[in-house]
């Protein structure tokens, strides 16, 4: 975003210059300025154009799970977030390579979500519509963005290669069938992504914008499905790269099925444990709620990952006292 420049005609040492050095009145607390975040002293915040993870709640070790357990009591291996991580990248609108991963487990076909007209629909149908809306909207924001589509069942399959044409992605999005899935091969998904992408490298992460960023958006609908996962070296490198993001929209049974209530929370905690930088976005949506919740989550993912705040600081209304709409899609 460019700012207009105003020529300074005041003489050196003049009263105008002295006024500039005085502390300005802090901005009122609003949703766009949570807790006066933009009015902190310069000594305690990152320089303009950069973001520092120490500034967000997502950076604290207390907010990230140190380990998760599967429903059967066995440990799910996952990276342990470090106590201090500094991520400073230019807040630029560089092109995105977005990999959309759609789960095709049988749970996605269960007609449990409440649609706009009050009838019951399934998560797969809503997910297909919200993904199409996301792709078309991102394309309107910046036609340089590229999209790829991956379907996930027992294994991951790359359906559509990177393209900036939304029609190519949407043509592969429908006529998909769900299958019974016995496992979730997360390691296989990361291996597939690693084969298809090349993470950008810059000489200075803090000052030089990358040519592009890579973002994976996983739409996942299996409650308590233990992932096949072991942290390899290239996975560590991918997750720690400042230009790689792994967002998750997790669809679960919620409170409808009491036996699964604990397991979906553990699965959600596992996804959170993968976020070693604190820069990914994670959302959970219950199948017992309205379908509009899925649309709202996908709409929140439209923001560029280099320009969005930490998820704990994100707000979607203009004033602090305003409550976000409950029954209205924001797409």
């Amino acid at each position: 975003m460019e700012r207009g420049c105003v020529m300074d005609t005041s003489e050196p040492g003049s009263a105008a210059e002295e006024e500039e050095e005085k502390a300005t009145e802090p901005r009122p607390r609003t949703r766009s300025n949570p807790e006066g975040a933009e009015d902190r002293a310069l000594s305690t915040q990152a320089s303009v154009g950069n973001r520092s993870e120490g500034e967000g709640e997502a950076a604290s070790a207390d907010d990230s799970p140190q380990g998760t357990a599967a429903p059967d009591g066995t440990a799910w291996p996952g990276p342990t977030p470090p106590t201090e991580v500094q991520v400073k990248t230019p807040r630029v609108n560089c092109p995105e390579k977005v990999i959309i991963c759609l789960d095709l487990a049988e749970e996605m076909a269960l007609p449990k979500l409440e649609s706009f007209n009050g009838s019951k629909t399934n998560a797969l149908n809503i997910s297909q519509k919200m993904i199409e809306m996301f792709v078309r909207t991102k394309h309107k924001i910046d036609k340089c963005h590229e999209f790829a589509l991956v379907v996930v069942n027992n294994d991951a399959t790359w359906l559509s290669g990177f393209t900036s044409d939304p029609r190519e992605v949407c043509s592969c999005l429908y006529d998909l069938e769900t299958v019974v899935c016995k496992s979730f091969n997360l390691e296989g998904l990361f291996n597939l992504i690693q084969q298809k992408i090349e993470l950008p490298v810059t000489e200075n992460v803090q000052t030089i914008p990358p040519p592009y960023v890579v973002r994976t958006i996983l739409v996942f609908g299996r409650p308590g499905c233990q992932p096949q996962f072991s942290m390899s070296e290239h996975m560590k490198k991918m997750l720690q790269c400042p230009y790689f993001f792994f967002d998750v929209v997790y669809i679960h049974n919620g409170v409808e099925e009491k036996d699964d209530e604990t397991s979906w929370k553990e699965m959600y905690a596992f996804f959170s444990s993968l976020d070693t930088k604190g820069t990914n976005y994670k959302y959970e949506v219950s199948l017992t709620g309205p379908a509009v919740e899925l649309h709202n989550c996908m709409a929140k993912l439209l923001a560029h990952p280099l320009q969005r705040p930490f998820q704990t600081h994100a707000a979607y209304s203009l004033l602090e006292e305003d409550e976000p709409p409950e029954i209205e899609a924001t797409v």
Side-chain angles (χ1 to χ4, degrees):
M1 180 179 296
E2 297 182 357
R3 298 181 179 177
C5 298
V6 179
M7 182 177 296
D8 185 6
T9 57
S10 59
E11 295 294 330
S14 65
E17 190 176 56
E18 293 175 1
E19 287 295 326
E20 291 180 358
E21 296 177 356
K22 294 181 180 180
T24 58
E25 183 179 354
R27 293 172 51 197
R29 286 182 60 182
T30 64
R31 285 291 186 182
S32 61
N33 185 31
E35 303 179 6
E38 295 182 12
D39 299 317
R40 295 172 182 165
L42 289 176
S43 61
T44 60
Q45 69 178 12
S47 59
V48 176
N50 294 339
R51 67 169 163 184
S52 170
E53 183 162 348
E55 189 179 309
E57 298 173 31
S60 64
D62 295 338
D63 294 333
S64 300
Q66 297 300 314
T68 54
D72 59 2
T74 59
W76 288 354
T80 301
T83 54
E84 291 186 10
V85 177
Q86 295 292 323
V87 178
K88 297 181 180 180
T89 51
R91 294 185 175 182
V92 294
N93 182 29
C94 65
E96 282 187 67
K97 291 182 180 291
V98 184
I99 306 169
I100 300 173
C101 304
L102 178 60
D103 190 10
L104 291 183
E106 62 176 346
E107 290 86 354
M108 295 287 287
L110 299 177
K112 292 186 176 182
L113 282 170
E114 183 178 343
S115 62
F116 299 100
N117 59 10
S119 62
K120 293 294 184 179
T121 186
N122 61 65
L124 177 60
N125 181 262
I126 298 299
S127 298
Q128 290 166 328
K129 293 178 180 178
M130 75 179 188
I131 290 172
E132 179 174 0
M133 294 173 70
F134 173 88
V135 171
R136 293 187 182 278
T137 305
K138 285 289 287 185
H139 178 72
K140 288 184 178 180
I141 294 174
D142 190 336
K143 291 180 170 54
C144 292
H145 294 324
E146 295 182 0
F147 308 92
L149 180 63
V150 175
V151 292
V152 181
N153 36 56
N154 289 310
D155 293 304
T157 305
W158 194 278
L159 281 191
S160 172
F162 285 111
T163 175
S164 57
D165 187 352
R167 294 170 297 183
E168 291 187 30
V169 179
C170 296
S171 65
C172 302
L173 190 56
Y174 298 95
D175 297 326
L176 300 174
E177 296 183 359
T178 59
V179 298
V180 177
C181 296
K182 298 180 180 179
S183 62
F184 172 43
N185 190 359
L186 179 60
E187 185 176 356
L189 175 61
F190 274 101
N191 288 336
L192 179 64
I193 294 172
Q194 190 262 342
Q195 295 170 11
K196 299 288 185 177
I197 66 169
E198 182 176 350
L199 294 174
V201 178
T202 60
E203 294 182 0
N204 191 318
V205 173
Q206 299 184 24
T207 59
I208 301 178
Y212 59 87
V213 295
V214 179
R215 175 157 56 134
T216 297
I217 300 177
L218 174 63
V219 181
F220 188 74
R222 310 180 203 183
C225 178
Q226 181 173 351
Q228 297 178 12
F229 179 79
S230 61
M231 182 61 67
S232 62
E233 200 60 39
H234 76 266
M235 288 178 65
K236 284 183 182 178
K237 190 176 298 184
M238 187 183 302
L239 290 171
Q240 293 172 359
C241 175
Y243 308 130
F244 179 80
F245 303 85
F246 188 73
D247 297 340
V248 178
V249 178
Y250 183 34
I251 308 167
H252 59 83
N253 287 327
V255 297
E256 179 180 308
E257 300 181 18
K258 299 293 184 181
D259 294 339
D260 291 336
E261 184 176 356
T262 303
S263 60
W264 77 254
K265 290 180 180 178
E266 291 172 343
M267 189 68 189
Y268 186 73
F270 170 77
F271 284 129
S272 298
S273 72
L274 298 176
D275 188 9
T276 58
K277 307 187 300 290
T279 55
N280 301 338
Y281 272 31
K282 288 85 59 181
Y283 293 103
E284 52 87 13
V285 178
S286 172
L287 283 172
T288 59
V292 70
E293 291 295 331
L294 274 174
H295 285 282
N296 284 335
C297 290
M298 206 66 181
K300 293 171 184 177
L301 293 177
L302 284 170
H304 196 288
L306 289 183
Q307 296 180 319
R308 66 191 184 185
F310 295 108
Q311 187 173 6
T312 50
H313 285 181
Y316 302 96
S317 57
L318 293 178
L319 298 176
E320 187 175 24
E321 61 269 14
D322 289 349
E323 291 297 327
E326 295 287 340
I327 58 174
E328 184 177 338
T330 53
V331 175

